[in-house]
Amino acid sequence: NISAAIANRTAGNNVFAYNSSTRPVLTYKVDNNNVEYGVAITGNGITYVSGLVGDDAINAIGTTGSASFAGYSVGDNAGTYNNSLSATQGSLSNPLGYNYIFNNGNLTVDKATLDVSVNDVTREYGGANPTFTANYSGFKLSDDINDINQQATLSSAITTNNDAGSYVDSIVAAGASDGNYDFNYNAGDITINKADLNVALVNNSPIRNVGEA
């Protein structure tokens, strides 16, 4: 009990004189954390909950070292993982002899963002639009375009009826979806060049017989 804990400190150096089965226990909670899909987790921490004896203060018991954390691997899918972050004592220690227990924390793996950049195209006036294409950048780990659940749809309101000219941001991308990625879309341009006209000269002069004026 608390009275026994206070009474059983070794005189002069303020160290608990318990064997390992009777030392007071500090309870910590693993802090909730966020990490982006495909990225190593940083900033894991613990927060004191309870267990201090008597007048001991958490910032005055001489704690050194750090806890060890588990519950996340790079490549885990985006989502919320309740009570998945765990901790063990690791190198954590204090000269007063407290033991440690840890309550798990929550982890949120946020989606990474892919940039979808539509490629510009050029065509001749009166012709059909070429097949639209786009480049994807920002993949994590070994992911590529084949790992996306739904690729973006590329479309344009420009048709064969549009005049020659430059149509900025006229090819748009939309509709991509994936469990681990959000999408940022960059539109593409259509340039319509003038068509060439072939002009044939026709000789319309009347036919004259030799000797006629």
Side-chain angles (χ1 to χ4, degrees):
N1 58 39
I2 292 178
S3 297
I6 296 172
N8 280 289
R9 287 187 179 177
T10 300
N13 60 12
N14 207 34
V15 175
F16 282 111
Y18 297 121
N19 61 44
S20 59
S21 63
T22 58
R23 289 175 182 169
V25 176
L26 297 180
T27 298
Y28 284 84
K29 182 185 181 302
V30 178
D31 297 336
N32 298 336
N33 208 344
N34 286 68
V35 65
E36 184 181 86
Y37 166 74
V39 176
I41 197 169
T42 60
N44 276 328
I46 53 176
T47 298
Y48 167 73
V49 177
S50 63
L52 286 170
V53 174
D55 294 330
D56 288 344
I58 197 63
N59 60 349
I61 61 173
T63 300
T64 59
S66 59
S68 297
F69 298 92
Y72 169 74
S73 298
V74 175
D76 285 349
N77 291 328
T80 299
Y81 299 86
N82 292 326
N83 297 317
S84 65
L85 289 179
S86 61
T88 57
Q89 184 170 342
S91 62
L92 202 64
S93 66
N94 65 86
L96 301 187
Y98 281 103
N99 286 327
Y100 298 88
I101 60 173
F102 303 90
N103 297 326
N104 289 2
N106 301 332
L107 173 66
T108 299
V109 180
D110 299 317
K111 290 184 178 183
T113 298
L114 291 180
D115 287 318
V116 182
S117 299
V118 180
N119 296 312
D120 299 337
V121 299
T122 299
R123 67 166 173 84
E124 187 178 81
Y125 169 72
N129 290 327
T131 300
F132 300 138
T133 60
N135 294 324
Y136 290 71
S137 61
F139 286 106
K140 302 297 184 181
L141 308 174
S142 60
D143 293 348
D144 59 30
I145 193 169
N146 296 312
D147 295 305
I148 298 173
N149 291 341
Q150 178 64 54
Q151 295 182 27
T153 300
L154 310 179
S155 63
S156 178
I158 303 302
T159 69
T160 55
N161 297 322
N162 285 88
D163 295 331
S166 180
Y167 297 86
V168 177
D169 293 341
S170 58
I171 313 171
V172 295
S177 64
D178 189 78
N180 291 321
Y181 293 100
D182 287 324
F183 297 86
N184 179 52
Y185 301 109
N186 302 300
D189 305 338
I190 295 179
T191 299
I192 301 177
N193 295 326
K194 293 180 179 180
D196 292 328
L197 287 180
N198 293 320
V199 179
L201 298 177
V202 178
N203 187 353
N204 291 322
S205 299
I207 298 174
R208 295 182 177 86
N209 294 321
V210 176
E212 291 181 345

